Amino acid sequence: MPVLTFSKVLELAKQKRIAPVYIFIGEPQLCKEKAKEIYNILQDKGSTIEVYNLNDKEDKKTFSKIKGYQEGLFGLRKVYLILGGENIELSKEEEIIKSLEKETSVFTWFIIAEKFEENRPLYQFALQKGAIVFFNFKKEEDFLETELILKLKEAGKTMDRKTTELFLSLVGKDYHHFLNELDKLLLYTEERAVITEEDVWSVTIPLEEEVLFMVEESLFQSGPEKAYRIVAQLLDHKEEPHRILSYLYKSFKIFQILAEFLEKHPELKKEERFSQFSKKWEEIKTDPIVEIPKVLTERHPYRIFNLKKHLEKIKNLPQVFEELYKADLSLKRDFKNPYQVFKELFINLWQKTLQP
């Protein structure tokens, strides 16, 4: 097996065509996740695994002292997962190849590397008897879209183009977050083959400062108590109080910017249906004369639409910043307990600035 796509490598593994060496070249965490998919197949058949991170000095030292490679107990396949594969020494590569030339049926090596030169012995060996997979998409979004299509196909589900773009725009570029949100979406739509935009918005959490985003949503949707409970959990996990307060300030600053923009575009301000709002938003964005603040253009139209709905509940925006300022003084000047500061902040925001 020479250089292949991951989908082909996975298909072959499911057909019990297991390579002695897999070299995954690209972003390390992503490569590790993909290697895990193949290892899970081997695990079902029984195998043992040893993991070495050659970016770690102690792990590299331990790995360098291993002499020879023996099969697992009772003849089970022995799997080696090597992170930082670019740091394998030449003598060790030759040793690995020598053991594989004697017996390829009881060993499998997963080599994870950001770069791996073609002239290296393991690369040449993998070209002949193993598999090499590159994850070198020009844009991370291209990979995630390809991955999404593959996962949907495996689950027997589909999304139209608009829903696909919505989902990818919400989950961002983080692969773990992508997988977590996709798993939630597949579970949510378990009995249906077609995933809709409504499904995406029902369960998908945006990546950007995810938990803090939930604070804002909770305050508007459920009231001060739920918002405070989320912040209390953040404080329990040692989140900096000033960072939480800074996010809230930035969040309400966006409301201020949006309020000023909507005053200039009453056709958006009065629109209550997202489909129509989105259409008018796109028309305004494509108008070369209209200047839209960057903080708005970099957010999805649905996010702007939700902000607009929340904005309608704020009856005194200047008072919001006054309450945030008071909370800041309580933390920096008076050194008050952060838990108490945020509890008072949310109560004051609710009572003085939001419609009950």
Side-chain angles (χ1 to χ4, degrees):
M1 288 186 281
V3 178
L4 300 172
T5 63
F6 177 75
S7 59
K8 183 62 177 179
V9 170
L10 188 61
E11 178 185 338
L12 291 171
K14 290 177 179 178
Q15 296 172 5
K16 301 182 180 180
R17 295 176 62 182
I18 306 297
V21 177
Y22 294 91
I23 301 179
F24 293 87
I25 303 173
E27 199 280 315
Q29 191 58 48
L30 173 59
C31 291
K32 183 180 177 182
E33 289 294 329
K34 306 316 288 182
K36 186 178 178 182
E37 291 189 39
I38 298 177
Y39 171 63
N40 285 340
I41 296 174
L42 299 180
Q43 200 173 33
D44 290 340
K45 303 178 186 305
S47 63
T48 59
I49 186 169
E50 290 184 17
V51 181
Y52 295 94
N53 183 357
L54 303 190
N55 293 315
D56 180 87
K57 289 183 179 180
E58 290 302 316
D59 251 18
K60 187 175 182 180
K61 186 177 181 181
T62 302
F63 181 70
S64 67
K65 292 180 179 179
I66 297 175
K67 297 295 181 183
Y69 303 95
Q70 300 178 0
E71 61 184 287
L73 295 174
F74 310 111
L76 296 177
R77 181 176 290 271
K78 186 68 170 287
V79 176
Y80 294 91
L81 174 61
I82 309 300
L83 307 173
E86 58 268 37
N87 297 317
I88 299 177
E89 296 179 356
L90 178 60
S91 60
K92 185 59 67 174
E93 286 192 51
E94 293 171 346
E95 186 180 334
I96 293 170
I97 292 171
K98 186 176 180 180
S99 68
L100 288 174
E101 286 175 340
K102 290 181 181 178
E103 180 58 80
T104 62
S105 63
V106 294
F107 300 117
T108 293
W109 289 79
F110 292 101
I111 311 296
I112 310 298
E114 292 190 64
K115 294 181 180 180
F116 208 81
E117 291 79 8
E118 293 184 20
N119 60 355
R120 297 182 65 151
L122 268 174
Y123 190 102
Q124 293 302 314
F125 182 87
L127 275 178
Q128 299 299 318
K129 299 181 180 181
I132 301 170
V133 184
F134 285 91
F135 293 99
N136 59 346
F137 291 81
K138 292 181 179 179
K139 295 189 300 182
E140 289 155 292
E141 294 91 336
D142 293 340
F143 167 74
L144 291 179
E145 182 171 349
T146 302
E147 188 78 346
L148 176 60
I149 293 171
L150 177 64
K151 297 287 186 184
L152 289 174
K153 184 177 180 181
E154 290 175 352
K157 296 182 181 293
T158 61
M159 283 184 189
D160 62 26
R161 184 64 190 174
K162 191 175 179 182
T163 305
T164 297
E165 290 176 353
L166 170 60
F167 177 74
L168 293 174
S169 71
L170 290 178
V171 298
K173 299 178 182 180
D174 184 272
Y175 186 63
H176 277 299
H177 187 68
F178 165 83
L179 288 180
N180 288 338
E181 295 306 305
L182 182 56
D183 286 344
K184 284 165 52 182
L185 189 58
L186 294 177
L187 183 62
Y188 181 75
T189 59
E190 186 174 10
E191 298 179 356
R192 291 185 282 113
V194 179
I195 297 176
T196 66
E197 287 186 72
E198 288 74 19
D199 294 327
V200 172
W201 282 113
S202 294
V203 297
T204 305
I205 299 175
L207 175 65
E208 183 182 2
E209 299 186 88
E210 176 182 326
V211 180
L212 292 174
F213 169 78
M214 291 171 63
V215 174
E216 175 196 304
E217 288 295 299
S218 297
L219 178 61
F220 283 100
Q221 300 287 358
S222 305
E225 291 185 7
K226 186 172 182 180
Y228 170 70
R229 285 200 299 270
I230 296 174
V231 167
Q233 290 177 339
L234 292 173
L235 294 172
D236 288 343
H237 288 84
K238 310 304 180 184
E239 185 64 75
E240 281 290 331
H242 298 296
R243 181 172 181 265
I244 300 173
L245 196 61
S246 175
Y247 175 81
L248 289 172
Y249 175 82
K250 291 176 182 177
S251 180
F252 281 104
K253 188 65 178 177
I254 294 173
F255 280 116
Q256 185 181 54
I257 294 171
L258 178 60
E260 294 171 355
F261 184 77
L262 291 176
E263 287 301 319
K264 298 177 183 178
H265 298 277
E267 71 276 20
L268 279 177
K269 186 176 182 179
K270 67 181 182 181
E271 190 54 66
E272 297 299 325
R273 295 173 56 196
F274 173 65
S275 58
Q276 293 302 313
F277 178 90
S278 178
K279 182 179 179 181
K280 292 177 182 178
W281 174 257
E282 290 302 320
E283 289 175 356
I284 292 173
K285 281 181 65 177
T286 55
D287 189 334
I289 300 177
V290 179
E291 291 187 10
I292 304 178
K294 184 180 178 182
V295 73
L296 299 181
T297 59
E298 63 189 13
R299 282 163 172 75
H300 191 276
Y302 196 89
R303 176 77 174 119
I304 302 298
F305 182 67
N306 270 347
L307 288 174
K308 184 183 80 72
K309 291 196 295 183
H310 294 334
L311 182 61
E312 293 168 357
K313 300 176 183 178
I314 303 176
K315 55 186 179 182
N316 191 340
L317 194 53
Q319 184 65 38
V320 169
F321 294 102
E322 179 65 26
E323 297 304 325
L324 292 171
Y325 178 69
K326 290 178 182 177
D328 190 45
L329 286 180
S330 295
L331 290 172
K332 294 180 180 178
R333 185 190 65 188
D334 303 331
F335 303 104
K336 290 182 66 174
N337 185 311
Y339 291 87
Q340 187 63 34
V341 170
F342 281 104
K343 189 171 187 178
E344 292 175 358
L345 171 63
F346 290 128
I347 291 174
N348 289 337
L349 287 176
W350 185 257
Q351 293 180 345
K352 298 179 181 181
T353 69
L354 300 179
Q355 293 285 358

PDB file of all heavy atoms in Angstrom, residues 195-219:
ATOM      1  N   ILE A 195     -30.663  15.695   8.062  1.00  0.00           N
ATOM      2  CA  ILE A 195     -30.389  16.650   9.137  1.00  0.00           C
ATOM      3  C   ILE A 195     -30.670  18.058   8.621  1.00  0.00           C
ATOM      4  O   ILE A 195     -30.182  18.444   7.557  1.00  0.00           O
ATOM      5  CB  ILE A 195     -28.919  16.541   9.599  1.00  0.00           C
ATOM      6  CG1 ILE A 195     -28.657  15.144  10.181  1.00  0.00           C
ATOM      7  CG2 ILE A 195     -28.597  17.610  10.635  1.00  0.00           C
ATOM      8  CD1 ILE A 195     -27.215  14.896  10.567  1.00  0.00           C
ATOM      9  N   THR A 196     -31.438  18.813   9.374  1.00  0.00           N
ATOM     10  CA  THR A 196     -31.857  20.147   8.944  1.00  0.00           C
ATOM     11  C   THR A 196     -31.113  21.240   9.714  1.00  0.00           C
ATOM     12  O   THR A 196     -30.438  20.975  10.710  1.00  0.00           O
ATOM     13  CB  THR A 196     -33.366  20.331   9.180  1.00  0.00           C
ATOM     14  OG1 THR A 196     -33.620  20.313  10.595  1.00  0.00           O
ATOM     15  CG2 THR A 196     -34.156  19.217   8.497  1.00  0.00           C
ATOM     16  N   GLU A 197     -31.286  22.471   9.247  1.00  0.00           N
ATOM     17  CA  GLU A 197     -30.703  23.612   9.956  1.00  0.00           C
ATOM     18  C   GLU A 197     -31.262  23.707  11.377  1.00  0.00           C
ATOM     19  O   GLU A 197     -30.537  24.046  12.315  1.00  0.00           O
ATOM     20  CB  GLU A 197     -31.003  24.914   9.203  1.00  0.00           C
ATOM     21  CG  GLU A 197     -30.206  25.091   7.932  1.00  0.00           C
ATOM     22  CD  GLU A 197     -30.448  26.457   7.321  1.00  0.00           C
ATOM     23  OE1 GLU A 197     -29.957  27.456   7.890  1.00  0.00           O
ATOM     24  OE2 GLU A 197     -31.137  26.523   6.277  1.00  0.00           O
ATOM     25  N   GLU A 198     -32.553  23.421  11.523  1.00  0.00           N
ATOM     26  CA  GLU A 198     -33.170  23.469  12.850  1.00  0.00           C
ATOM     27  C   GLU A 198     -32.505  22.476  13.794  1.00  0.00           C
ATOM     28  O   GLU A 198     -32.302  22.766  14.982  1.00  0.00           O
ATOM     29  CB  GLU A 198     -34.670  23.175  12.742  1.00  0.00           C
ATOM     30  CG  GLU A 198     -35.498  24.278  12.109  1.00  0.00           C
ATOM     31  CD  GLU A 198     -35.300  24.382  10.594  1.00  0.00           C
ATOM     32  OE1 GLU A 198     -34.809  23.402   9.993  1.00  0.00           O
ATOM     33  OE2 GLU A 198     -35.635  25.436  10.026  1.00  0.00           O
ATOM     34  N   ASP A 199     -32.131  21.302  13.279  1.00  0.00           N
ATOM     35  CA  ASP A 199     -31.433  20.305  14.092  1.00  0.00           C
ATOM     36  C   ASP A 199     -30.084  20.846  14.559  1.00  0.00           C
ATOM     37  O   ASP A 199     -29.703  20.684  15.724  1.00  0.00           O
ATOM     38  CB  ASP A 199     -31.196  19.015  13.283  1.00  0.00           C
ATOM     39  CG  ASP A 199     -32.477  18.311  12.921  1.00  0.00           C
ATOM     40  OD1 ASP A 199     -33.435  18.368  13.712  1.00  0.00           O
ATOM     41  OD2 ASP A 199     -32.525  17.700  11.834  1.00  0.00           O
ATOM     42  N   VAL A 200     -29.367  21.467  13.639  1.00  0.00           N
ATOM     43  CA  VAL A 200     -28.046  22.007  13.961  1.00  0.00           C
ATOM     44  C   VAL A 200     -28.150  23.039  15.073  1.00  0.00           C
ATOM     45  O   VAL A 200     -27.404  23.007  16.061  1.00  0.00           O
ATOM     46  CB  VAL A 200     -27.379  22.622  12.714  1.00  0.00           C
ATOM     47  CG1 VAL A 200     -26.098  23.368  13.092  1.00  0.00           C
ATOM     48  CG2 VAL A 200     -27.075  21.538  11.684  1.00  0.00           C
ATOM     49  N   TRP A 201     -29.110  23.948  14.936  1.00  0.00           N
ATOM     50  CA  TRP A 201     -29.248  25.002  15.940  1.00  0.00           C
ATOM     51  C   TRP A 201     -29.782  24.472  17.272  1.00  0.00           C
ATOM     52  O   TRP A 201     -29.552  25.067  18.320  1.00  0.00           O
ATOM     53  CB  TRP A 201     -30.149  26.108  15.411  1.00  0.00           C
ATOM     54  CG  TRP A 201     -29.437  27.012  14.461  1.00  0.00           C
ATOM     55  CD1 TRP A 201     -29.668  27.166  13.136  1.00  0.00           C
ATOM     56  CD2 TRP A 201     -28.340  27.874  14.770  1.00  0.00           C
ATOM     57  NE1 TRP A 201     -28.790  28.067  12.594  1.00  0.00           N
ATOM     58  CE2 TRP A 201     -27.963  28.523  13.579  1.00  0.00           C
ATOM     59  CE3 TRP A 201     -27.633  28.148  15.932  1.00  0.00           C
ATOM     60  CZ2 TRP A 201     -26.913  29.427  13.514  1.00  0.00           C
ATOM     61  CZ3 TRP A 201     -26.587  29.055  15.889  1.00  0.00           C
ATOM     62  CH2 TRP A 201     -26.233  29.684  14.685  1.00  0.00           C
ATOM     63  N   SER A 202     -30.436  23.340  17.237  1.00  0.00           N
ATOM     64  CA  SER A 202     -30.995  22.783  18.467  1.00  0.00           C
ATOM     65  C   SER A 202     -29.918  22.222  19.395  1.00  0.00           C
ATOM     66  O   SER A 202     -30.061  22.272  20.622  1.00  0.00           O
ATOM     67  CB  SER A 202     -31.996  21.667  18.140  1.00  0.00           C
ATOM     68  OG  SER A 202     -33.118  22.184  17.474  1.00  0.00           O
ATOM     69  N   VAL A 203     -28.831  21.683  18.835  1.00  0.00           N
ATOM     70  CA  VAL A 203     -27.864  20.977  19.686  1.00  0.00           C
ATOM     71  C   VAL A 203     -26.421  21.468  19.571  1.00  0.00           C
ATOM     72  O   VAL A 203     -25.593  21.176  20.431  1.00  0.00           O
ATOM     73  CB  VAL A 203     -27.876  19.457  19.389  1.00  0.00           C
ATOM     74  CG1 VAL A 203     -29.230  18.865  19.713  1.00  0.00           C
ATOM     75  CG2 VAL A 203     -27.502  19.169  17.936  1.00  0.00           C
ATOM     76  N   THR A 204     -26.091  22.221  18.532  1.00  0.00           N
ATOM     77  CA  THR A 204     -24.694  22.588  18.301  1.00  0.00           C
ATOM     78  C   THR A 204     -24.299  23.820  19.101  1.00  0.00           C
ATOM     79  O   THR A 204     -24.984  24.839  19.066  1.00  0.00           O
ATOM     80  CB  THR A 204     -24.442  22.852  16.801  1.00  0.00           C
ATOM     81  OG1 THR A 204     -24.859  21.711  16.050  1.00  0.00           O
ATOM     82  CG2 THR A 204     -22.957  23.103  16.547  1.00  0.00           C
ATOM     83  N   ILE A 205     -23.183  23.721  19.801  1.00  0.00           N
ATOM     84  CA  ILE A 205     -22.648  24.836  20.583  1.00  0.00           C
ATOM     85  C   ILE A 205     -21.467  25.429  19.836  1.00  0.00           C
ATOM     86  O   ILE A 205     -20.530  24.705  19.490  1.00  0.00           O
ATOM     87  CB  ILE A 205     -22.210  24.373  21.978  1.00  0.00           C
ATOM     88  CG1 ILE A 205     -23.405  23.814  22.744  1.00  0.00           C
ATOM     89  CG2 ILE A 205     -21.567  25.518  22.759  1.00  0.00           C
ATOM     90  CD1 ILE A 205     -23.046  23.219  24.087  1.00  0.00           C
ATOM     91  N   PRO A 206     -21.465  26.720  19.575  1.00  0.00           N
ATOM     92  CA  PRO A 206     -20.334  27.352  18.885  1.00  0.00           C
ATOM     93  C   PRO A 206     -19.041  27.158  19.659  1.00  0.00           C
ATOM     94  O   PRO A 206     -19.032  27.117  20.888  1.00  0.00           O
ATOM     95  CB  PRO A 206     -20.736  28.828  18.827  1.00  0.00           C
ATOM     96  CG  PRO A 206     -22.218  28.823  18.952  1.00  0.00           C
ATOM     97  CD  PRO A 206     -22.542  27.669  19.846  1.00  0.00           C
ATOM     98  N   LEU A 207     -17.940  27.036  18.942  1.00  0.00           N
ATOM     99  CA  LEU A 207     -16.644  26.814  19.572  1.00  0.00           C
ATOM    100  C   LEU A 207     -16.174  28.026  20.352  1.00  0.00           C
ATOM    101  O   LEU A 207     -15.660  27.905  21.459  1.00  0.00           O
ATOM    102  CB  LEU A 207     -15.600  26.467  18.500  1.00  0.00           C
ATOM    103  CG  LEU A 207     -14.160  26.330  19.004  1.00  0.00           C
ATOM    104  CD1 LEU A 207     -14.028  25.160  19.954  1.00  0.00           C
ATOM    105  CD2 LEU A 207     -13.198  26.176  17.839  1.00  0.00           C
ATOM    106  N   GLU A 208     -16.340  29.213  19.804  1.00  0.00           N
ATOM    107  CA  GLU A 208     -15.736  30.413  20.357  1.00  0.00           C
ATOM    108  C   GLU A 208     -16.171  30.644  21.802  1.00  0.00           C
ATOM    109  O   GLU A 208     -17.333  30.930  22.077  1.00  0.00           O
ATOM    110  CB  GLU A 208     -16.109  31.635  19.511  1.00  0.00           C
ATOM    111  CG  GLU A 208     -15.443  32.918  19.987  1.00  0.00           C
ATOM    112  CD  GLU A 208     -15.866  34.111  19.157  1.00  0.00           C
ATOM    113  OE1 GLU A 208     -16.690  33.949  18.260  1.00  0.00           O
ATOM    114  OE2 GLU A 208     -15.369  35.189  19.422  1.00  0.00           O
ATOM    115  N   GLU A 209     -15.227  30.470  22.706  1.00  0.00           N
ATOM    116  CA  GLU A 209     -15.455  30.674  24.132  1.00  0.00           C
ATOM    117  C   GLU A 209     -16.783  30.039  24.545  1.00  0.00           C
ATOM    118  O   GLU A 209     -17.686  30.668  25.098  1.00  0.00           O
ATOM    119  CB  GLU A 209     -15.422  32.164  24.466  1.00  0.00           C
ATOM    120  CG  GLU A 209     -14.073  32.767  24.124  1.00  0.00           C
ATOM    121  CD  GLU A 209     -13.961  34.208  24.572  1.00  0.00           C
ATOM    122  OE1 GLU A 209     -13.559  34.425  25.709  1.00  0.00           O
ATOM    123  OE2 GLU A 209     -14.281  35.096  23.755  1.00  0.00           O
ATOM    124  N   GLU A 210     -16.856  28.758  24.275  1.00  0.00           N
ATOM    125  CA  GLU A 210     -18.100  27.995  24.359  1.00  0.00           C
ATOM    126  C   GLU A 210     -18.871  28.185  25.663  1.00  0.00           C
ATOM    127  O   GLU A 210     -20.052  28.526  25.668  1.00  0.00           O
ATOM    128  CB  GLU A 210     -17.749  26.516  24.162  1.00  0.00           C
ATOM    129  CG  GLU A 210     -18.887  25.557  24.305  1.00  0.00           C
ATOM    130  CD  GLU A 210     -18.419  24.134  24.128  1.00  0.00           C
ATOM    131  OE1 GLU A 210     -17.502  23.878  23.335  1.00  0.00           O
ATOM    132  OE2 GLU A 210     -18.964  23.262  24.807  1.00  0.00           O
ATOM    133  N   VAL A 211     -18.208  27.950  26.786  1.00  0.00           N
ATOM    134  CA  VAL A 211     -18.920  28.002  28.066  1.00  0.00           C
ATOM    135  C   VAL A 211     -19.354  29.418  28.398  1.00  0.00           C
ATOM    136  O   VAL A 211     -20.460  29.655  28.883  1.00  0.00           O
ATOM    137  CB  VAL A 211     -18.031  27.440  29.194  1.00  0.00           C
ATOM    138  CG1 VAL A 211     -18.769  27.503  30.526  1.00  0.00           C
ATOM    139  CG2 VAL A 211     -17.640  25.999  28.895  1.00  0.00           C
ATOM    140  N   LEU A 212     -18.481  30.380  28.101  1.00  0.00           N
ATOM    141  CA  LEU A 212     -18.825  31.772  28.385  1.00  0.00           C
ATOM    142  C   LEU A 212     -19.979  32.241  27.497  1.00  0.00           C
ATOM    143  O   LEU A 212     -20.790  33.071  27.907  1.00  0.00           O
ATOM    144  CB  LEU A 212     -17.604  32.664  28.195  1.00  0.00           C
ATOM    145  CG  LEU A 212     -16.490  32.431  29.224  1.00  0.00           C
ATOM    146  CD1 LEU A 212     -15.265  33.252  28.868  1.00  0.00           C
ATOM    147  CD2 LEU A 212     -16.961  32.765  30.620  1.00  0.00           C
ATOM    148  N   PHE A 213     -20.037  31.701  26.292  1.00  0.00           N
ATOM    149  CA  PHE A 213     -21.170  31.992  25.419  1.00  0.00           C
ATOM    150  C   PHE A 213     -22.463  31.514  26.070  1.00  0.00           C
ATOM    151  O   PHE A 213     -23.507  32.168  26.003  1.00  0.00           O
ATOM    152  CB  PHE A 213     -20.958  31.301  24.070  1.00  0.00           C
ATOM    153  CG  PHE A 213     -22.169  31.305  23.173  1.00  0.00           C
ATOM    154  CD1 PHE A 213     -22.513  32.434  22.460  1.00  0.00           C
ATOM    155  CD2 PHE A 213     -22.967  30.179  23.055  1.00  0.00           C
ATOM    156  CE1 PHE A 213     -23.631  32.446  21.629  1.00  0.00           C
ATOM    157  CE2 PHE A 213     -24.079  30.181  22.238  1.00  0.00           C
ATOM    158  CZ  PHE A 213     -24.404  31.319  21.525  1.00  0.00           C
ATOM    159  N   MET A 214     -22.378  30.385  26.770  1.00  0.00           N
ATOM    160  CA  MET A 214     -23.552  29.835  27.437  1.00  0.00           C
ATOM    161  C   MET A 214     -24.013  30.735  28.586  1.00  0.00           C
ATOM    162  O   MET A 214     -25.197  30.770  28.925  1.00  0.00           O
ATOM    163  CB  MET A 214     -23.242  28.431  27.961  1.00  0.00           C
ATOM    164  CG  MET A 214     -23.055  27.392  26.864  1.00  0.00           C
ATOM    165  SD  MET A 214     -22.452  25.818  27.511  1.00  0.00           S
ATOM    166  CE  MET A 214     -23.811  25.364  28.580  1.00  0.00           C
ATOM    167  N   VAL A 215     -23.069  31.461  29.191  1.00  0.00           N
ATOM    168  CA  VAL A 215     -23.432  32.389  30.270  1.00  0.00           C
ATOM    169  C   VAL A 215     -24.387  33.447  29.731  1.00  0.00           C
ATOM    170  O   VAL A 215     -25.438  33.728  30.307  1.00  0.00           O
ATOM    171  CB  VAL A 215     -22.179  33.070  30.866  1.00  0.00           C
ATOM    172  CG1 VAL A 215     -22.584  34.125  31.884  1.00  0.00           C
ATOM    173  CG2 VAL A 215     -21.263  32.033  31.499  1.00  0.00           C
ATOM    174  N   GLU A 216     -23.998  34.035  28.624  1.00  0.00           N
ATOM    175  CA  GLU A 216     -24.822  35.083  28.003  1.00  0.00           C
ATOM    176  C   GLU A 216     -26.201  34.540  27.625  1.00  0.00           C
ATOM    177  O   GLU A 216     -27.232  35.145  27.937  1.00  0.00           O
ATOM    178  CB  GLU A 216     -24.107  35.615  26.764  1.00  0.00           C
ATOM    179  CG  GLU A 216     -24.915  36.611  25.960  1.00  0.00           C
ATOM    180  CD  GLU A 216     -24.329  36.794  24.568  1.00  0.00           C
ATOM    181  OE1 GLU A 216     -23.133  37.138  24.471  1.00  0.00           O
ATOM    182  OE2 GLU A 216     -25.060  36.579  23.592  1.00  0.00           O
ATOM    183  N   GLU A 217     -26.208  33.368  26.964  1.00  0.00           N
ATOM    184  CA  GLU A 217     -27.475  32.785  26.536  1.00  0.00           C
ATOM    185  C   GLU A 217     -28.369  32.456  27.741  1.00  0.00           C
ATOM    186  O   GLU A 217     -29.580  32.668  27.707  1.00  0.00           O
ATOM    187  CB  GLU A 217     -27.218  31.517  25.719  1.00  0.00           C
ATOM    188  CG  GLU A 217     -26.646  31.769  24.333  1.00  0.00           C
ATOM    189  CD  GLU A 217     -27.633  32.525  23.454  1.00  0.00           C
ATOM    190  OE1 GLU A 217     -28.735  32.015  23.207  1.00  0.00           O
ATOM    191  OE2 GLU A 217     -27.290  33.641  23.026  1.00  0.00           O
ATOM    192  N   SER A 218     -27.756  31.931  28.805  1.00  0.00           N
ATOM    193  CA  SER A 218     -28.526  31.560  29.989  1.00  0.00           C
ATOM    194  C   SER A 218     -29.158  32.778  30.651  1.00  0.00           C
ATOM    195  O   SER A 218     -30.288  32.725  31.132  1.00  0.00           O
ATOM    196  CB  SER A 218     -27.627  30.834  30.998  1.00  0.00           C
ATOM    197  OG  SER A 218     -27.149  29.629  30.454  1.00  0.00           O
ATOM    198  N   LEU A 219     -28.418  33.876  30.687  1.00  0.00           N
ATOM    199  CA  LEU A 219     -28.939  35.091  31.304  1.00  0.00           C
ATOM    200  C   LEU A 219     -30.205  35.551  30.594  1.00  0.00           C
ATOM    201  O   LEU A 219     -31.203  35.901  31.238  1.00  0.00           O
ATOM    202  CB  LEU A 219     -27.878  36.190  31.269  1.00  0.00           C
ATOM    203  CG  LEU A 219     -28.300  37.550  31.840  1.00  0.00           C
ATOM    204  CD1 LEU A 219     -28.668  37.429  33.315  1.00  0.00           C
ATOM    205  CD2 LEU A 219     -27.194  38.587  31.646  1.00  0.00           C
TER     206      LEU A 219
END
